[in-house]
Amino acid sequence: MTSLPHAGNHRPPLRTASSGISRPPAQALSQSFNPPPRSVPQHVLADRNAATTPHNASEPPSKRQKLDPGYVSTVSPIQLQQGYERPPSPPRQTAHPPTTISIKPIPATSSSSTTIISQVPSFPIRPKDLARSKGGVCPVLSKATSRESVQARPYQLEVPKTAPQYGGKSPADFFPWAGHHPEDILNEQSTKNGHYDKVISQNETNTARPSVWSGLKHKSGLQILSSLFVSVLDQRQAHGTVTAKCTFKPPPRVTLTDAKREAWLRDLANSTIPLRRLSRTIPHGIRGKSLLDHCLAKRIPTWRAVWLAKCVGANEIRAFKRKGTSGAFSVGGESKWIKDWTSNVEQFVEALVTSCNSPGWRSNIIYGLQLVTHIESEHLLDPEHFFDWIIAALSCCDQEMLPAWLLVIESHLNETKRFRFRCRRLIEALLEQLAKISTPETKGTSASLQPSIVALYQAVLKLCFDEEDPRLDHFFQHIPERNLRLCRPSCADVVGSYQTPRQRLITLLDALGSDFDIIALSFSANEIVDDPDVLISTLIEWATTCYRAGASRIYIALRLLRQWSKAGWSLDQPVLRFLSHFSNTPGLDRPSMYKLFAELIRAKLLAAGKYLQWLIARGPHVDDSEAKSAEVFELQLLDNIPLHGLPTHVLNLRQILMKAGGLLVSKPRETEESIRSIITAQLGFLRTKGLPLEPSFKFSSLAFLSGSTKYGISRWIRQKIACKFRDGDNDELESAEEKPQTTFMTLKDFQAVREILETFGDYLILADVLDIISVSCQKPLLEAVAETANDHIDIFQALGAAEDLFHKIFARMEVVYTRGPTDKTILMSLLDLGESVPNVDPTLRVLQRELQLCQPKAAAAACSPVSDHMVEVLQSSDATFIEDTEALFSSGTSMDEQIATQVFSEVTKRLQLVLQNEGEVQYFIDLLAQLRPFDTERFDALMLGWLGELVWSADDFRSLQIIIPLVCTRLVNLGRLLQSVVLHLREAENHDAYAGIAMQIMNLLMTEKTDGWLLNTQRMYRFYRGRDALVREYPSVITSIIQYSQWASHHKDSAIRQSAKRLTSNPRYLQLIRAVLLRHKPAVQELGQSLALNSLREQADQLLCSLLGLGSRDGLSPSMIDGAIRHVLHSTDDFNLGVCQLELFILLTQYHDSSSDSDTSNEHVIDVLVHEAASSFHSRPGIWARLISILPRGYAEMFRNGCILAISGAMQDWSLDQRGNCEGLLASIDVAESKTSSDGSFGIIIEILKLIVSVRTAPPLAKLQIDLGLDEGLDGSREAQQEQQHCHTCMWIDILLRLLTIHYNTIAHPKFPQQMLCRLLLSLSLLLVNPNLIAHHTLSTRLFDLIAFFSDHVAPDSRIFCATILRDQHSLRDSRLQYLFGVADSEEGESLHITSTTRISTLVSVDPGNRVPLPLRRWEMVQDATPIIGENDTSLSLNLFGTRKGVL
């Protein structure tokens, strides 16, 4: 090794024989030139292999010390240091006498030893010895003197660590002896003068300026010089270009033994061994997962492991091509091999993850993930399969393995989140795992819900955000809004999304049951409608409309108003404002309004004096009928308010106003006195002792009294009852039998009081009376109180009195029945009352236990069968049948099925024979009640079968009345009975037969308490509850009965026809239809289809007139149908919506069936609907949404198409004035789309696509693109016009995007053509990258979201096709499109093309029209693939690039 000299310096010449000093032999030199130890650092010790004649730096290089030729030193450095004197050695005969160094032995203790040794010339300092520590023995010498075994591996020269380097790459002046370096050649000049580096530069002896200047003086000088330069470049191009053929081929594989293969793998793991040495051959049999396992076990560097994988893969892939198969099969085989290789990598990763408990797992997983990441970065895997696999593994893994899979995901996170189709699945998997961790009991949901998954995991997602970071909080609020715009709900949700707060409040009130919390209801109502005026007016209108039934509405509204009054709300102005518009509010019921107004006065929520002041301030109305009617109503309110507690001046002012209004002013006090005397004469507890009873008086005749008189009498009755029970009945626990009967209220007196208060409709006083009487000790009164509470449970629940009343009756019952047996009747009534009252479950369990104890069972016969004496009982006479059967039932607890059937048949047969006798009917019903507990399921089946036969064979309504006591005894469920009957009605072919049966069932449902002798049974409220529950629990059944009952108007029996006509005007029947239309949405289509028939047209007109008050329609000409439809659309409000839906459905169906040219007529009707929707949808969105939702499917499709055509026509005007109409049309399309089928709307997407293309290429947008480049010279009007054009464009694009969102289900349909979807995505993408729309952030965001939403349904091939088209148009440079379509603008190597044009000159570019893409063989991109470096040995031939040779 030599050091690199500076320019101009020379090295000392070597001494030769001609110089007088002969070179000793190598052995002699090795023995004589061992450097002695010195008091200097160890790094100055000489090496045995060093040069024999080093120079001393203190002397000239050409001079050296003379050596003694007769002595050769054989003393080792250690012996010499200790003073050892080397013995003489005989000289060796050589051609030249040896040169020796004369060294005399000196004792070690001599003081001059150091001086003598220092005279020995030192060897040059080796660079590698600079790092040695001071002191110690030279490692080389110590190694040579040791007897350790020498490795068989040959010696390799290593570069010194301290050697200087050129730019950190190669060492400077490091030239090991190879025989061909100039310094290794010894000649006479180098021996004498030493080695000189070549001089790089020399001083010029002459200049070329004269010769060049003479040529440049001429006019053609520059041309000559240019030609010279061009010729030089041509020569350089011709002689310096690589022309050799490509010699690349992957390293061949050979079969090696296990030992050699392991040795080869160890060499591969050693980074110091070059790959060219290993590329001669690679072991055969290392492939797939075993290759990765070997790399993991040997810890092969990842880049060398990837090199091995590429070599193996290149050989495997070339094997397919060597088989001589076709190109398609070869490509398929290559793809299959890549997928298999990807599966092997996946198995390798899975094995790493599952072995997390093994020792050394941390280092293994780190290396394995680095290796897999390196392989993936080299594009050696199938990316779709690999990333889908790791995301699926993350999604389905358990919580124990979740951290390991998160580590795998994190190592590939950048590539996973690069494109949306991967990132979306990753986010869904992470959210699902996060939800499992947060709520372990919650099961994971399917990832097919795309925007709605944000709402599903919104609470869990919020836990991941830092609440203190405002930016994250903004994103969290913004993301759900963007996803909500893309959600496409179901039909019901679409209609519900257009509900106004007022409609949501009405829906809340309509859904109230018998049990509700008034405080929670008040809070919910206030949350829905925050405007007190709207809230109060809506509540009053709901309580007083004729389209809702039930007196409980009045008291619910009263309690809500009381709650809001306690909260500090002022009720005077909202109530008076509602009264001022009462005459303009359709469908309001005046008696209900009188009742509510009176209750507000009585509850002191509204001051009567303020109302009188308001009447005076308004003044008299103008002289017209409508105003007079309103004025009469306002004055009639004064005749229906309670007068108790009002000041005298208010009473006087009331009479003055009523007289001024022309109303007949009665004398309330005189009227009250007369009515009081009548009532006193009828009630025994009020009558004076000794006076005879008056003849029976019909209290129903008191209904004609004014409201003020009714309230006065009701208050008087309550006071009398309260005084009587305070003075007489409410003593201590003294039984009623010990007091005179004249001091007590009898059951007859209670029934009379109840009838009076029910006639007056004063249920508030009735609740107070029941509360007073509930402290009575009389068993009949307690039972009557419970019965009354059950009859009016809805009203008492609305008043909030049911729960207190239940507890009082139960407490008094416990006191009364402590001295005797408990009555079964009151237990059953109290149980029925408790079932409707919330929060009384413990009390109900006590009552049920008491009821079981009252069952008439013999304890001794607990296990005996009943059938022992059944034959004698069944053959007994009618006189003793009931007693014998009861005794038989009490003799056992079990009964055979056959015997039970015989008993049931015998009892029902005798029951049908005694239907005219009320007492015997009740006896047989009691027998059936005792029979049912033996086998409940069998008894219910027998009862349904018997009643079904009874219904089908019934001749008149009277025979069906037996159903009422059976329902009251709970022997049959009314809903299940009617359901079985309707099933048979639907199978019947004779319309007259099922019309008559349906009519009789409807008469049964319309039954009142005074209609028949069988209605005096106990617990009649059970039948009414079952009838009211039909609409909630069996809406389709009651709808079918109503539908079939319409056919009774054409029945052959005149009695049934007359009954059907009377039924149409029955208020209860109309309320039933309204309730069904309100609670059962399909009832509109079901009833409309039957009523729209030509045979029922007259019946339908009469029914609709009764429901809406419309005039009759004799014909259906186009002009009349237009007016009828417009009248229905304009008269529809939030309360009569169901009826108007039925009306509109019948009109459309009848007009379609009666028109000769259906297409023309339908277009005419659709034009009317489209025009009305465009003008009024935005003002009444909830009503229009409900009306459109009931359109038949054919009309819905035509209506949607008509709205789209209207939007297309409005786009031609480019006017902002059309925006309001377009908003209504868009909303109409949104609702109508939910009624149509998704697979039949493909043509609509084509029309929308045409509109998008027209907007994108429209003159305003194109003109805008040109004018935007003119930054200067535009006046104010020009800029304003440009801004207006921009607003027009953005408005119509926003409308079209909303149209696409509405038709999302159509686009997402599996049968939707991919070609059409590609066209749609390309059009939207071009809009997204349009420079004129980038500034519109909201529109760009909507475009981006919509493209992302639709791209989830495009096939991979179609997505790549779209990306190719966009790349050709240079639109894929936008990072948003790259993210959406999953393809970068230019992947690595994708921009390479092969050209085949003829080169004209070296400076002429190639015609780009003949460019052919050049695919890269990534598996063959291997470095150092050949053992010998060649000129063109790369996998991609250098000839393709015109590569030139490097100039060194």
Side-chain angles (χ1 to χ4, degrees):
M1 173 179 176
T2 60
S3 60
L4 183 63
H6 296 286
N9 296 338
H10 68 280
R11 302 189 182 189
L14 299 177
R15 296 284 183 173
T16 58
S18 60
S19 302
I21 300 177
S22 61
R23 181 184 294 273
Q27 182 178 3
L29 289 176
S30 64
Q31 296 178 357
S32 60
F33 281 89
N34 290 325
R38 300 165 53 185
S39 58
V40 294
Q42 285 288 334
H43 61 269
V44 302
L45 297 179
D47 191 279
R48 290 187 302 169
N49 298 325
T52 58
T53 57
H55 69 277
N56 193 346
S58 61
E59 298 179 359
S62 59
K63 295 183 179 181
R64 301 184 61 183
Q65 294 180 352
K66 295 183 179 181
L67 301 178
D68 188 1
Y71 180 77
V72 177
S73 177
T74 60
V75 182
S76 66
I78 299 176
Q79 293 173 340
L80 186 60
Q81 184 178 7
Q82 296 176 355
Y84 178 80
E85 185 176 357
R86 185 181 288 108
S89 176
R92 183 177 180 182
Q93 298 297 328
T94 56
H96 300 278
T99 303
T100 59
I101 302 175
S102 178
I103 301 177
K104 296 181 180 181
I106 300 175
T109 57
S110 175
S111 59
S112 62
S113 61
T114 305
T115 305
I116 297 174
I117 296 174
S118 62
Q119 296 177 359
V120 180
S122 61
F123 286 91
I125 298 176
R126 301 295 297 272
K128 68 178 180 178
D129 295 333
L130 294 176
R132 295 180 179 177
S133 62
K134 298 181 180 180
V137 184
C138 178
V140 178
L141 297 178
S142 63
K143 184 177 180 181
T145 56
S146 65
R147 296 187 177 182
E148 297 178 359
S149 60
V150 181
Q151 297 181 359
R153 188 173 178 177
Y155 172 76
Q156 292 183 357
L157 189 62
E158 296 181 356
V159 180
K161 297 180 180 179
T162 58
Q165 296 181 349
Y166 288 125
K169 295 182 180 179
S170 59
D173 197 25
F174 180 71
F175 302 106
W177 189 91
H180 54 75
H181 194 270
E183 191 176 353
D184 299 336
I185 300 174
L186 295 179
N187 50 27
E188 182 179 359
Q189 182 178 359
S190 61
T191 304
K192 292 181 179 180
N193 301 325
H195 177 73
Y196 289 87
D197 286 342
K198 295 181 179 180
V199 180
I200 298 177
S201 63
Q202 297 179 356
N203 295 328
E204 295 184 357
T205 58
N206 202 351
T207 177
R209 182 178 181 278
S211 59
V212 175
W213 181 250
S214 61
L216 293 177
K217 286 182 180 180
H218 302 284
K219 295 181 180 181
S220 59
L222 293 177
Q223 184 177 1
I224 294 173
L225 185 60
S226 175
S227 301
L228 177 62
F229 287 157
V230 170
S231 62
V232 170
L233 292 175
D234 288 340
Q235 291 297 325
R236 179 186 177 185
Q237 183 71 21
H239 297 286
T241 304
V242 175
T243 57
K245 294 183 178 180
C246 180
T247 59
F248 171 82
K249 63 178 181 178
R253 293 184 295 177
V254 296
T255 303
L256 301 177
T257 60
D258 294 341
K260 291 183 178 180
R261 183 175 61 185
E262 293 297 325
W264 190 91
L265 290 173
R266 283 195 300 270
D267 292 343
L268 182 64
N270 188 0
S271 301
T272 60
I273 299 178
L275 291 177
R276 288 197 179 273
R277 177 180 173 185
L278 299 174
S279 63
R280 296 172 183 172
T281 54
I282 60 176
H284 199 284
I286 302 178
R287 60 188 302 273
K289 184 176 178 294
S290 62
L291 185 149
L292 302 174
D293 292 336
H294 280 297
C295 296
L296 176 63
K298 304 296 187 303
R299 289 296 190 273
I300 299 175
T302 57
W303 65 277
R304 296 171 74 90
V306 172
W307 178 85
L308 175 60
K310 285 185 176 182
C311 293
V312 173
N315 281 282
E316 294 280 347
I317 293 174
R318 287 199 172 194
F320 289 104
K321 300 179 180 180
R322 287 195 297 267
K323 293 180 181 179
T325 57
S326 61
F329 184 81
S330 177
V331 172
E334 180 178 350
S335 301
K336 182 179 181 300
W337 186 90
I338 292 176
K339 290 183 179 180
D340 293 340
W341 162 251
T342 305
S343 300
N344 293 328
V345 175
E346 294 168 358
Q347 295 173 9
F348 174 73
V349 174
E350 185 177 7
L352 282 176
V353 172
T354 54
S355 62
C356 57
N357 295 326
S358 61
W361 178 80
R362 181 177 181 180
S363 59
N364 289 343
I365 194 66
I366 292 175
Y367 175 82
L369 292 181
Q370 290 177 352
L371 177 59
V372 174
T373 305
H374 197 162
I375 292 174
E376 189 275 327
S377 64
E378 294 284 343
H379 304 283
L380 303 182
L381 299 175
D382 184 2
E384 302 294 334
H385 190 280
F386 179 70
F387 289 109
D388 288 347
W389 176 79
I390 60 175
I391 293 174
L394 175 67
S395 178
C396 63
C397 72
D398 52 9
Q399 295 185 11
E400 295 179 356
M401 304 302 299
L402 182 60
W405 285 110
L406 288 176
L407 190 63
V408 175
I409 287 291
E410 187 178 3
S411 63
H412 300 87
L413 186 59
N414 291 332
E415 189 64 26
T416 306
K417 67 181 183 181
R418 185 182 180 188
F419 303 130
R420 182 184 184 276
F421 65 93
R422 296 176 190 164
C423 187
R424 177 180 58 84
R425 295 196 296 267
L426 174 62
I427 292 176
E428 291 173 359
L430 291 175
L431 287 176
E432 188 174 354
Q433 289 291 346
L434 184 60
K436 291 180 182 178
I437 296 173
S438 303
T439 55
E441 69 278 1
T442 303
K443 295 182 179 180
T445 58
S446 175
S448 60
L449 301 174
Q450 300 175 5
S452 59
I453 198 172
V454 178
L456 183 64
Y457 296 120
Q458 187 171 4
V460 178
L461 188 62
K462 193 173 184 180
L463 299 176
C464 305
F465 289 160
D466 186 6
E467 297 180 355
E468 298 180 357
D469 192 345
R471 186 173 60 91
L472 292 179
D473 185 65
H474 171 71
F475 285 153
F476 182 76
Q477 295 178 358
H478 189 51
I479 288 176
E481 294 176 0
R482 294 172 60 181
N483 283 275
L484 188 61
R485 289 189 309 216
L486 300 176
C487 288
R488 181 61 187 165
S490 60
C491 179
D493 296 335
V494 169
V495 176
S497 64
Y498 289 99
Q499 276 191 331
T500 60
R502 170 184 163 91
Q503 290 175 327
R504 290 199 296 270
L505 176 61
I506 294 173
T507 303
L508 175 66
L509 296 174
D510 290 336
L512 290 178
S514 59
D515 53 339
F516 60 90
D517 186 359
I518 192 65
I519 298 178
L521 177 61
S522 174
F523 181 76
S524 301
N526 195 14
E527 274 190 340
I528 295 174
V529 180
D530 54 357
D531 188 357
D533 291 344
V534 177
L535 181 59
I536 293 174
S537 62
T538 304
L539 178 64
I540 296 175
E541 187 176 356
W542 173 78
T544 58
T545 181
C546 64
Y547 298 106
R548 301 292 186 272
S552 61
R553 297 175 294 132
I554 304 294
Y555 300 101
I556 292 175
L558 180 64
R559 291 185 67 191
L560 285 175
L561 292 174
R562 184 183 289 115
Q563 288 289 331
W564 295 333
S565 178
K566 291 179 181 179
W569 291 16
S570 176
L571 303 181
D572 296 337
Q573 293 301 323
V575 173
L576 296 177
R577 192 178 297 112
F578 176 81
L579 292 175
S580 64
H581 298 89
F582 182 85
S583 59
N584 298 327
T585 304
L588 288 183
D589 184 31
R590 291 195 174 191
S592 298
M593 189 65 220
Y594 298 156
K595 181 69 176 176
L596 180 59
F597 185 78
E599 293 295 344
L600 290 176
I601 297 293
R602 182 160 61 176
K604 296 184 179 181
L605 298 177
L606 182 66
K610 288 188 177 181
Y611 177 68
L612 295 176
Q613 294 175 4
W614 176 75
L615 284 179
I616 295 173
R618 288 192 63 184
H621 290 276
V622 295
D623 191 11
D624 60 70
S625 59
E626 184 177 354
K628 284 296 182 182
S629 175
E631 184 177 0
V632 170
F633 162 73
E634 294 167 357
L635 294 176
Q636 283 178 345
L637 288 175
L638 297 177
D639 197 25
N640 289 276
I641 61 175
L643 303 179
H644 175 75
L646 295 181
T648 305
H649 68 278
V650 174
L651 295 176
N652 296 333
L653 183 59
R654 167 181 172 271
Q655 291 184 354
I656 293 173
L657 291 177
M658 293 179 65
K659 287 181 180 180
L663 295 181
L664 179 61
V665 181
S666 62
K667 298 179 180 179
R669 291 186 179 180
E670 297 178 359
T671 306
E672 286 184 18
E673 290 295 335
S674 62
I675 299 300
R676 287 176 186 177
S677 61
I678 296 174
I679 295 175
T680 302
Q682 296 293 324
L683 301 180
F685 72 100
L686 295 178
R687 189 175 61 253
T688 306
K689 295 181 181 181
L691 292 179
L693 291 174
E694 295 291 336
S696 178
F697 180 78
K698 293 184 179 181
F699 294 107
S700 59
S701 61
L702 300 178
F704 69 91
L705 297 176
S706 65
S708 300
T709 305
K710 293 178 182 178
Y711 289 123
I713 296 174
S714 299
R715 184 176 179 276
W716 171 76
I717 293 176
R718 180 181 61 180
Q719 288 178 346
K720 289 296 182 179
I721 294 176
C723 292
K724 175 60 65 174
F725 275 84
R726 183 174 62 250
D727 298 336
D729 283 354
N730 198 21
D731 294 340
E732 296 182 359
L733 301 177
E734 186 176 1
S735 64
E737 287 77 3
E738 298 175 359
K739 291 190 175 184
Q741 294 296 327
T742 56
T743 61
F744 289 94
M745 174 184 284
T746 62
L747 181 60
K748 184 178 180 181
D749 294 338
F750 173 78
Q751 291 176 349
V753 171
R754 172 183 171 178
E755 183 181 356
I756 293 172
L757 295 178
E758 287 178 348
T759 302
F760 289 169
D762 198 346
Y763 296 100
L764 183 61
I765 298 296
L766 179 60
D768 291 343
V769 169
L770 295 180
D771 184 73
I772 295 172
I773 299 176
S774 63
V775 299
S776 175
C777 297
Q778 301 183 62
K779 297 178 182 179
L781 284 183
L782 290 177
E783 183 179 352
V785 169
E787 189 84 11
T788 305
N790 281 308
D791 285 343
H792 307 289
I793 184 62
D794 293 338
I795 297 176
F796 290 159
Q797 283 279 45
L799 287 170
E803 186 174 356
D804 293 338
L805 191 60
F806 171 79
H807 288 298
K808 285 187 177 183
I809 297 174
F810 177 77
R812 180 56 61 182
M813 186 196 70
E814 287 183 326
V815 174
V816 171
Y817 288 100
T818 53
R819 300 180 182 179
T822 306
D823 190 3
K824 179 181 176 181
T825 305
I826 190 173
L827 287 177
M828 297 178 66
S829 298
L830 202 56
L831 275 172
D832 292 338
L833 181 60
E835 290 176 355
S836 303
V837 176
N839 305 322
V840 292
D841 293 339
T843 308
L844 287 179
R845 287 193 291 268
V846 175
L847 292 173
Q848 290 172 356
R849 186 166 56 251
E850 290 292 333
L851 184 62
Q852 291 177 357
L853 294 176
C854 295
Q855 296 295 335
K857 293 290 182 181
C863 299
S864 72
V866 176
S867 58
D868 293 343
H869 307 283
M870 184 56 60
V871 178
E872 293 82 358
V873 173
L874 296 178
Q875 295 177 358
S876 61
S877 61
D878 296 339
T880 61
F881 177 80
I882 297 176
E883 291 80 3
D884 296 342
T885 306
E886 289 181 348
L888 185 64
F889 287 160
S890 62
S891 65
T893 58
S894 62
M895 184 180 295
D896 295 340
E897 180 178 346
Q898 182 178 2
I899 299 300
T901 305
Q902 293 177 3
V903 173
F904 179 84
S905 300
E906 187 66 25
V907 172
T908 53
K909 184 188 302 182
R910 294 174 184 261
L911 178 61
Q912 287 181 278
L913 296 176
V914 296
L915 285 178
Q916 305 299 327
N917 191 337
E918 179 182 357
E920 293 187 9
V921 167
Q922 190 62 42
Y923 288 147
F924 284 105
I925 290 177
D926 291 340
L927 288 179
L928 292 175
Q930 297 180 36
L931 177 62
R932 186 174 185 270
F934 289 99
D935 192 351
T936 304
E937 295 182 0
R938 178 63 181 170
F939 181 87
D940 292 343
L942 292 174
M943 180 60 71
L944 288 177
W946 174 65
L947 290 178
E949 294 177 358
L950 184 64
V951 169
W952 282 97
S953 60
D955 296 333
D956 56 356
F957 162 69
R958 192 176 184 85
S959 60
L960 292 183
Q961 284 188 329
I962 191 61
I963 297 176
I964 296 177
L966 291 176
V967 173
C968 295
T969 322
R970 291 187 175 177
L971 295 179
V972 65
N973 183 278
L974 184 60
R976 293 184 58 187
L977 173 62
L978 297 183
Q979 188 178 24
S980 63
V981 171
V982 168
L983 290 177
H984 289 84
L985 289 177
R986 292 174 180 173
E987 297 175 358
E989 298 180 357
N990 187 357
H991 290 181
D992 290 340
Y994 68 67
I997 294 173
M999 193 65 217
Q1000 293 181 11
I1001 294 176
M1002 188 57 65
N1003 288 330
L1004 180 68
L1005 296 178
M1006 297 297 105
T1007 302
E1008 296 294 340
K1009 290 185 177 181
T1010 59
D1011 289 348
W1013 55 267
L1014 284 178
L1015 300 179
N1016 296 325
T1017 182
Q1018 295 178 345
R1019 292 175 293 279
M1020 186 64 188
Y1021 57 84
R1022 290 182 177 177
F1023 175 75
Y1024 296 130
R1025 287 187 188 179
R1027 182 184 63 185
D1028 296 338
L1030 289 175
V1031 180
R1032 297 190 303 268
E1033 300 175 3
Y1034 300 92
S1036 60
V1037 172
I1038 197 68
T1039 303
S1040 299
I1041 294 175
I1042 296 173
Q1043 180 180 359
Y1044 297 146
S1045 64
Q1046 299 299 323
W1047 288 93
S1049 59
H1050 297 280
H1051 200 273
K1052 60 183 180 181
D1053 190 352
S1054 60
I1056 295 179
R1057 291 197 303 270
Q1058 293 299 325
S1059 178
K1061 292 180 179 180
R1062 289 193 303 268
L1063 188 65
T1064 305
S1065 58
N1066 189 344
R1068 182 173 292 276
Y1069 180 72
L1070 298 178
Q1071 290 295 345
L1072 181 63
I1073 294 178
R1074 290 166 182 160
V1076 169
L1077 295 174
L1078 177 65
R1079 297 184 179 271
H1080 187 49
K1081 307 305 179 184
V1084 175
Q1085 286 86 351
E1086 295 175 4
L1087 293 178
Q1089 289 175 358
S1090 60
L1091 293 175
L1093 298 177
N1094 294 329
S1095 58
L1096 295 179
R1097 180 168 299 180
E1098 183 180 354
Q1099 182 80 2
D1101 291 341
Q1102 183 180 357
L1103 179 62
L1104 292 174
C1105 289
S1106 301
L1107 292 173
L1108 290 174
L1110 297 178
S1112 60
R1113 298 177 301 274
D1114 298 332
L1116 286 174
S1117 62
S1119 58
M1120 293 187 63
I1121 193 65
D1122 293 352
I1125 291 177
R1126 288 191 174 93
H1127 186 273
V1128 171
L1129 296 178
H1130 293 164
S1131 62
T1132 305
D1133 58 19
D1134 296 326
F1135 294 100
N1136 65 356
L1137 181 58
V1139 181
C1140 291
Q1141 284 180 316
L1142 178 63
E1143 169 74 4
L1144 180 62
F1145 187 89
I1146 294 174
L1147 284 175
L1148 293 177
T1149 307
Q1150 289 180 348
Y1151 183 68
H1152 176 74
D1153 295 339
S1154 61
S1155 177
S1156 59
D1157 190 357
S1158 59
D1159 295 337
T1160 306
S1161 61
N1162 291 336
E1163 292 179 0
H1164 182 71
V1165 173
I1166 292 301
D1167 291 341
V1168 175
L1169 292 175
V1170 170
H1171 180 268
E1172 294 294 332
S1175 59
S1176 61
F1177 193 105
H1178 61 279
S1179 60
R1180 300 189 303 166
I1183 294 176
W1184 266 103
R1186 292 284 299 276
L1187 290 175
I1188 297 173
S1189 64
I1190 57 94
L1191 292 178
R1193 174 166 295 185
Y1195 272 104
E1197 293 180 356
M1198 290 186 293
F1199 177 73
R1200 179 199 58 188
N1201 298 340
C1203 292
I1204 293 178
L1205 290 178
I1207 292 177
S1208 177
M1211 289 180 62
Q1212 307 300 326
D1213 299 336
W1214 289 89
S1215 174
L1216 291 176
D1217 299 336
Q1218 300 290 336
R1219 184 174 183 86
N1221 293 342
C1222 289
E1223 291 291 336
L1225 293 174
L1226 281 174
S1228 302
I1229 295 171
D1230 190 14
V1231 181
E1233 174 63 18
S1234 60
K1235 290 282 297 179
T1236 59
S1237 59
S1238 300
D1239 55 349
S1241 305
F1242 296 164
I1244 297 298
I1245 307 301
I1246 297 178
E1247 298 298 328
I1248 299 175
L1249 183 58
K1250 292 179 180 178
L1251 294 177
I1252 293 175
V1253 174
S1254 64
V1255 170
R1256 184 169 57 86
T1257 59
L1261 185 59
K1263 191 174 183 180
L1264 183 62
Q1265 293 177 357
I1266 298 175
D1267 292 344
L1268 284 177
L1270 303 176
D1271 297 332
E1272 298 180 358
L1274 293 176
D1275 54 1
S1277 60
R1278 186 66 170 173
E1279 294 178 357
Q1281 183 181 4
Q1282 202 173 62
E1283 182 66 25
Q1284 185 180 11
Q1285 291 175 354
H1286 184 69
C1287 293
H1288 289 177
T1289 304
C1290 294
M1291 181 192 75
W1292 290 114
I1293 291 177
D1294 180 70
I1295 290 175
L1296 293 176
L1297 295 183
R1298 291 169 61 184
L1299 268 178
L1300 290 176
T1301 306
I1302 291 171
H1303 292 84
Y1304 165 72
N1305 291 333
T1306 301
I1307 299 175
H1309 197 275
K1311 296 182 180 180
F1312 189 77
Q1314 287 290 314
Q1315 182 181 2
M1316 192 184 304
L1317 183 57
C1318 290
R1319 292 178 56 191
L1320 180 61
L1321 288 175
L1322 289 174
S1323 299
L1324 295 177
S1325 300
L1326 293 177
L1327 281 176
L1328 179 63
V1329 298
N1330 194 305
N1332 302 314
L1333 301 178
I1334 294 177
H1336 202 291
H1337 178 70
T1338 304
L1339 193 59
S1340 299
T1341 303
R1342 184 184 288 271
L1343 271 168
F1344 177 84
D1345 295 342
L1346 201 59
I1347 297 173
F1349 206 27
F1350 291 155
S1351 64
D1352 294 337
H1353 304 282
V1354 68
D1357 297 340
S1358 301
R1359 186 175 63 250
I1360 296 175
F1361 171 76
C1362 294
T1364 304
I1365 298 298
L1366 292 173
R1367 184 185 294 114
D1368 294 341
Q1369 297 184 3
H1370 304 287
S1371 299
L1372 201 59
R1373 298 175 182 176
D1374 194 293
S1375 59
R1376 296 171 296 176
L1377 295 182
Q1378 297 178 18
Y1379 172 75
L1380 292 174
F1381 290 98
V1383 179
D1385 182 25
S1386 59
E1387 295 284 350
E1388 183 182 354
E1390 287 189 0
S1391 59
L1392 297 179
H1393 291 76
I1394 298 178
T1395 58
S1396 58
T1397 55
T1398 304
R1399 188 181 304 275
I1400 301 176
S1401 68
T1402 57
L1403 301 179
V1404 177
S1405 61
V1406 181
D1407 184 11
N1410 295 328
R1411 298 171 60 189
V1412 180
L1414 175 64
L1416 291 180
R1417 300 174 182 176
R1418 300 189 182 277
W1419 287 95
E1420 296 185 358
M1421 296 176 64
V1422 184
Q1423 61 176 349
D1424 300 335
T1426 55
I1428 301 175
I1429 300 177
E1431 182 178 344
N1432 189 5
D1433 60 353
T1434 58
S1435 59
L1436 191 60
S1437 177
L1438 299 179
N1439 295 333
L1440 300 175
F1441 306 95
T1443 309
R1444 292 178 298 183
K1445 301 177 183 178
V1447 180
L1448 299 179

